[in-house]
Amino acid sequence: MDDMSRNPSSQGTAKEGAGVFKEQDEEARFIWNLRPRTLDEYIGQREVVESLVIALTAARNRGEPIDHILFHGPPGLGKTTLAHIIAGEMQSRIIHTAGPALEKPVDIVGILSNLDTGEVLFIDEIHRLSRTIEEYLYSAMEDFEVNFIYGKGAFARTLPYQLKHFTLVGATTRAGLLTPPLRDRFGMIYHLDYYAPEELARVVKRSARILGVHLDEEGSMEIARRSRGTPRIANRLLRRVRDYAEVTADGKITQALADEALTREGVDRAGLDRLDRLYLTTILENYRGGPVGVEALAATLNEETNTLVDVVEPFLLKMGFVIRTPAGRRVGEPARAHLGYAAEGGGQQRLL
Ligand code: ADP
């Protein structure tokens, strides 16, 4: 989910950040350049932003580090961006790592013991931490202390080590997978929801300005409507449309041009991509519209269950295109209409 180095951590202040990508690919640089650096630049998620402004101002006024924060929500909605903004607003260094990168106790103890007061430790995919690492975090978050264990068996001894007052920012696509003890240690928990098309149009216009791309109002709305409510996708589609505009036209992005480019990319008018449509048509055609268990569906599609649950389904659920029932997933009426299938009870054949 992140665009920075994962192994096991990377660090820098918000200002230094661009340097992290010196040896990385163009895509990472592109994403970095478009990332808002302050809460003022951060579009949408009003309630989250307002609450963070208060918490940051209060912490700064007291001269204290901000409390631990958890962000949850689908990928690409701006969780990593917020973590970097928080560090920037607190003028602190941020250490960036991810759950799967922390394998051994020494990984987490090494990072924690090097954190200074007020510094931010960002753990992406925090639901994927191993149980052992998670247990180290309990005392680190609550008492700013970790216990070094040295020696083995009957000779094992624990040595408490005092940590500085750091801030942990966690991000997850699956809050439900977090254990209650870990969840309870966050002072603030925020859910990021999909963006409205108007907000995404602002994201696209801001990115176009930074990239020097000519884009009219309708062109930005067209890209926004087809971005699955997700800023990361909006920026990616802008890049595809920009390429298309440069090669086939004069580089200017209009609604008609955006429509043409995105249709060619396989992104339809509701913003569904090929995998979304395959997911829906598989339920319709192989499972008579459902219900079907997600594991069976993943096997039929030859996809990871996690990809379906974390990436594909949240947006389809939000749109009412899929319905989750105790017996499994069912295709919703709006999806039948969108894909040109007869309404439920009318058979599974396509109308068009
Ligand atoms: P997540 O960590 O939730 O997967 P990111 O923070 O990596 O998402 O966001 C992906 C990209 O989307 C960022 O690089 C940034 O350019 C863009 N983005 C995310 N949120 C916003 C926002 N609120 N305003 C403008 N751009 C955003």
Side-chain angles (χ1 to χ4, degrees):
M1 269 47 0
D2 63 87
D3 358 274
M4 297 182 72
S5 151
R6 287 165 187 266
N7 273 323
S9 70
S10 61
Q11 54 183 273
T13 61
K15 274 181 236 95
E16 286 165 33
V20 174
F21 298 117
K22 274 198 190 100
E23 271 121 50
Q24 296 204 3
D25 64 3
E26 196 55 26
E27 177 85 16
R29 190 181 299 280
F30 173 84
I31 289 168
W32 179 263
N33 289 339
L34 300 182
R35 181 165 273 169
R37 304 289 150 86
T38 61
L39 280 178
D40 282 346
E41 288 180 43
Y42 193 88
I43 293 160
Q45 309 291 350
R46 281 243 336 254
E47 283 174 24
V48 176
V49 170
E50 280 168 14
S51 167
L52 280 176
V53 168
I54 292 173
L56 284 163
T57 311
R60 266 197 310 256
N61 289 347
R62 286 197 301 267
E64 283 175 8
I66 191 163
D67 215 345
H68 306 305
I69 306 176
L70 178 69
F71 294 115
H72 63 101
L77 295 193
K79 300 182 289 297
T80 308
T81 306
L82 280 175
H84 282 260
I85 290 177
I86 288 164
E89 300 268 350
M90 296 299 286
Q91 300 191 327
S92 298
R93 193 170 65 127
I94 179 164
I95 311 295
H96 185 130
T97 188
L102 299 168
E103 285 171 4
K104 298 185 224 78
V106 65
D107 295 335
I108 187 70
V109 174
I111 294 174
L112 290 170
S113 56
N114 278 300
L115 287 173
D116 220 333
T117 303
E119 290 187 339
V120 174
L121 171 61
F122 175 60
I123 307 184
D124 200 4
E125 300 182 80
I126 195 163
H127 62 277
R128 293 179 64 192
L129 283 177
S130 73
R131 196 64 203 211
T132 321
I133 305 284
E134 199 180 301
E135 277 164 15
Y136 274 90
L137 279 182
Y138 296 162
S139 60
M141 290 171 79
E142 200 157 79
D143 307 319
F144 298 98
E145 187 178 285
V146 278
N147 288 309
F148 277 120
I149 300 171
Y150 64 99
K152 285 213 165 103
F155 300 104
R157 296 278 180 280
T158 57
L159 183 69
Y161 181 87
Q162 202 58 43
L163 302 170
K164 301 275 174 51
H165 201 316
F166 69 99
T167 295
L168 179 69
V169 180
T172 177
T173 47
R174 296 240 219 132
L177 293 188
L178 240 60
T179 60
L182 182 58
R183 208 187 147 95
D184 291 348
R185 283 171 169 79
F186 286 98
M188 290 169 268
I189 299 183
Y190 297 110
H191 175 65
L192 299 195
D193 209 346
Y194 287 110
Y195 291 64
E198 295 69 28
E199 292 169 335
L200 285 182
R202 283 169 56 206
V203 171
V204 172
K205 281 189 275 191
R206 175 179 174 276
S207 302
R209 238 183 354 260
I210 295 170
L211 297 170
V213 175
H214 292 278
L215 170 74
D216 71 15
E217 196 63 37
E218 293 74 26
S220 63
M221 264 318 275
E222 189 62 31
I223 297 175
R225 272 195 299 269
R226 292 165 83 154
S227 299
R228 289 179 113 254
T230 307
R232 179 183 289 138
I233 297 183
N235 284 335
R236 196 178 72 220
L237 296 186
L238 172 65
R239 192 146 80 136
R240 296 281 69 79
V241 178
R242 175 184 67 168
D243 289 351
Y244 189 76
E246 282 172 3
V247 173
T248 66
D250 55 2
K252 295 202 172 105
I253 301 174
T254 58
Q255 179 171 17
L257 189 124
D259 176 32
E260 212 173 287
L262 294 176
T263 304
R264 273 174 168 267
E265 276 294 307
V267 177
D268 71 21
R269 294 224 158 110
L272 304 193
D273 61 21
R274 289 191 180 91
L275 181 56
D276 294 322
R277 287 193 301 272
L278 194 60
Y279 171 99
L280 293 169
T281 52
T282 303
I283 304 181
L284 282 164
E285 301 201 353
N286 296 26
Y287 298 97
R288 322 185 90 234
V292 51
V294 69
E295 307 281 346
L297 198 53
T300 312
L301 290 166
N302 203 13
E303 276 292 341
E304 294 278 331
T305 306
N306 282 348
T307 307
L308 298 188
V309 174
D310 290 342
V311 183
V312 177
E313 291 184 337
F315 182 69
L316 298 179
L317 284 162
K318 165 111 183 155
M319 299 282 286
F321 282 5
V322 70
I323 299 157
R324 226 168 7 203
T325 71
R329 276 64 168 164
R330 273 186 35 235
V331 167
E333 231 25 86
R336 288 175 191 272
H338 177 69
L339 295 170
Y341 282 78
E344 200 167 6
Q348 308 306 330
Q349 72 276 31
R350 288 191 81 151
L351 296 176
L352 305 175

